[in-house]
Amino acid sequence: MTVLVTGGAGFIGSNFVYYMLEEHPDDKVVCVDALTYAGNLATLSGAMRNPRFTFYKTNITDRESVFEIFATEKPDIVINFAAESHVDRSIEDPEIFLKTNILGTQVLMDACRKYGVRRFHQVSTDEVYGDLPLDRPDLFFTEETPIHTSSPYSSSKAAADLLVFAYYRTYGLPVTVSRCSNNYGPYHFPEKLIPLMIVNALADKHLPVYGKGENVRDWLYVEDHCKAIDLIIRKGRVGEVYNVGGHNEMRNIDIVKLICRELGKPESLITYVTDRKGHDLRYAIDPTKIHNELGWFPETKFENGIKKTIQWYLDNQDWWQEIISGEYQKYYEKMYENR
Ligand code: NAD
Ligand code: TDX
């Protein structure tokens, strides 16, 4: 079958492209990506050589081009990874988040309706549930937790989720939605916590921790997320949400200290900076549903996953050096200087 993946030149999408090409030798993978600041063709160089892979540089909000691609490729399954994904950028300038994350999703679903697909899968996030208090470790996000967003990013993702279910109910589009916790692993853009700290520590630069570093995130190795999506598109029930997470909660400060230890860098590099506006306190997923229904469980333990990830950044310095030498410098100065 033909699987059309949007956002495949980004972090999770590219890991998914490689996962699919490896795991499903009979499937074709078509990637649609606008190559924004977060998309990188070098990330897909290993896939470009594969005759089962096709790449289109196209914006998902460009209705005409998206429809043309659907007419040509006739995808059986569409998986929407494409998004503006960084919370801090959404606080600075929300508009592009609404355009890509909401209107882009609409265009894709309109194309799915016109050309017919077996499944439209929306890659969503645990951030649509808002946050949990730090002093209630007994609470977790289930699929029934109300939507209660904090940032323009999470609001745009929640709006897209609602639209996905509107297309299911109104037009009968066969949809599924996954809401995953924080991912980490290879090809993670160095504006996000883990790669930013690795890249800065390697250059002996300050490690900017927001607030007191006590906010908690629930980390999942990216390959485990890819496996979950693969299971949902093949065996998940249409019209359902599946939460994806591996019960691996960690405070930001503990992650940063661990990275210092692994790289042999002093904790004196850590600098506490002004907190993120509206900063969510704690995310924690209850993955019971995907475990019981689809037999999914996370296979990579954090101790191993973080070591593999750090090693990947050590082995692939060309990949991130190229990124941080361009526009990224301006972004970094704007976000972190005088913070
Ligand atoms: P990313 O920012 O690394 O990659 C996004 C990709 O989408 C890039 O290749 C970019 O070029 C592309 N893109 C952006 N706007 C586009 C547009 N208008 N048209 C076509 N392509 C466009 O993001 P990521 O971290 O890989 O996240 C992928 C998806 O997973 C997103 O939908 C995100 O909301 C969701 N998610 C991410 C995490 C996480 O921890 N990173 C966790 C849960 C869910
Ligand atoms: O420099 C930093 N210092 C810092 O303390 C950065 C970049 C982040 N942080 C904190 C903020 C968060 O509490 O680290 C935590 C993680 O931050 P991010 O890496 O920006 O991720 P988060 O905001 O949790 O969102 C991520 O997970 C859910 C993804 O970026 C989203 O796309 C996904 O939906």
Side-chain angles (χ1 to χ4, degrees):
M1 68 181 181
T2 298
V3 179
L4 187 146
V5 171
T6 69
F11 165 45
I12 307 175
S14 61
N15 277 281
F16 188 77
V17 165
Y18 286 117
Y19 179 85
M20 291 295 283
L21 291 172
E22 176 78 23
E23 294 293 316
H24 299 289
D26 296 330
D27 291 349
K28 277 175 55 186
V29 179
V30 175
C31 174
V32 174
D33 196 299
L35 298 179
T36 68
Y37 80 92
N40 188 347
L41 259 195
T43 301
L44 288 172
S45 58
M48 290 296 188
R49 292 188 285 272
N50 192 317
R52 291 186 290 115
F53 180 74
T54 314
F55 180 83
Y56 290 91
K57 181 180 183 309
T58 301
N59 196 305
I60 58 165
T61 60
D62 177 349
R63 182 171 289 267
E64 205 178 310
S65 303
V66 167
F67 276 48
E68 261 174 41
I69 296 168
F70 272 65
T72 309
E73 299 290 346
K74 300 179 183 61
D76 299 287
I77 292 185
V78 174
I79 307 173
N80 184 24
F81 290 92
E84 288 293 334
S85 70
H86 193 35
V87 173
D88 292 328
R89 288 186 193 253
S90 82
I91 294 167
E92 290 299 305
D93 188 2
E95 191 166 339
I96 186 72
F97 284 74
L98 274 57
K99 283 187 179 146
T100 289
N101 298 2
I102 306 171
L103 298 177
T105 302
Q106 183 211 357
V107 168
L108 290 170
M109 290 195 295
D110 284 343
C112 288
R113 283 185 64 210
K114 174 155 186 201
Y115 294 97
V117 291
R118 275 170 25 205
R119 182 71 62 84
F120 173 80
H121 181 76
Q122 176 72 355
V123 181
S124 185
T125 167
D126 60 357
E127 296 197 19
V128 301
Y129 299 123
D131 62 352
L132 296 164
L134 292 176
D135 60 355
R136 289 291 308 273
D138 55 315
L139 296 180
F140 297 93
F141 297 136
T142 73
E143 289 78 1
E144 271 69 52
T145 301
I147 300 286
H148 188 82
T149 56
S150 313
S151 69
Y153 162 71
S154 56
S155 304
S156 68
K157 293 296 288 185
D161 284 12
L162 296 179
L163 198 61
V164 170
F165 288 111
Y167 272 58
Y168 170 59
R169 169 102 186 229
T170 309
Y171 306 118
L173 189 70
V175 305
T176 38
V177 172
S178 52
R179 294 183 180 146
C180 189
S181 59
N182 286 60
N183 285 213
Y184 68 101
Y187 301 116
H188 204 179
F189 194 85
E191 66 188 347
K192 308 284 168 55
L193 179 76
I194 289 181
L196 185 141
M197 295 300 164
I198 297 172
V199 163
N200 278 17
L202 285 172
D204 297 309
K205 284 174 67 176
H206 288 307
L207 307 178
V209 171
Y210 299 166
K212 293 184 181 144
E214 285 169 352
N215 303 61
V216 170
R217 296 293 183 263
D218 185 358
W219 295 95
L220 184 73
Y221 193 62
V222 62
E223 198 181 336
D224 280 320
H225 187 187
C226 295
K227 281 182 191 156
I229 293 171
D230 190 25
L231 272 173
I232 295 168
I233 59 172
R234 282 158 212 275
K235 297 187 183 147
R237 286 185 293 138
V238 164
E240 293 290 318
V241 174
Y242 291 90
N243 281 357
V244 184
H247 283 304
N248 182 56
E249 290 177 52
M250 295 195 60
R251 296 190 314 164
N252 295 338
I253 187 64
D254 296 328
I255 300 244
V256 178
K257 286 183 176 171
L258 189 151
I259 290 170
C260 288
R261 274 200 303 284
E262 289 291 330
L263 290 173
K265 298 290 180 180
E267 287 182 8
S268 56
L269 288 176
I270 295 172
T271 313
Y272 293 94
V273 301
T274 308
D275 210 350
R276 174 183 279 174
K277 291 189 183 86
H279 199 172
D280 281 338
L281 293 172
R282 171 177 169 248
Y283 302 143
I285 282 277
D286 175 355
T288 306
K289 179 175 174 180
I290 190 167
H291 178 71
N292 288 350
E293 279 192 23
L294 306 180
W296 178 88
F297 59 92
E299 290 173 28
T300 302
K301 287 199 164 53
F302 188 76
E303 308 89 90
N304 301 333
I306 193 72
K307 281 197 171 75
K308 274 204 279 188
T309 301
I310 291 173
Q311 193 57 49
W312 188 87
Y313 280 84
L314 287 169
D315 294 342
N316 292 275
Q317 304 216 12
D318 290 353
W319 181 84
W320 55 263
Q321 289 285 6
E322 175 71 24
I323 291 170
I324 65 168
S325 65
E327 272 298 301
Y328 182 86
Q329 287 299 333
K330 280 194 203 131
Y331 164 80
Y332 196 86
E333 276 163 31
K334 187 172 161 212
M335 289 303 213
Y336 292 95
E337 228 163 58
N338 308 318
R339 185 166 183 155

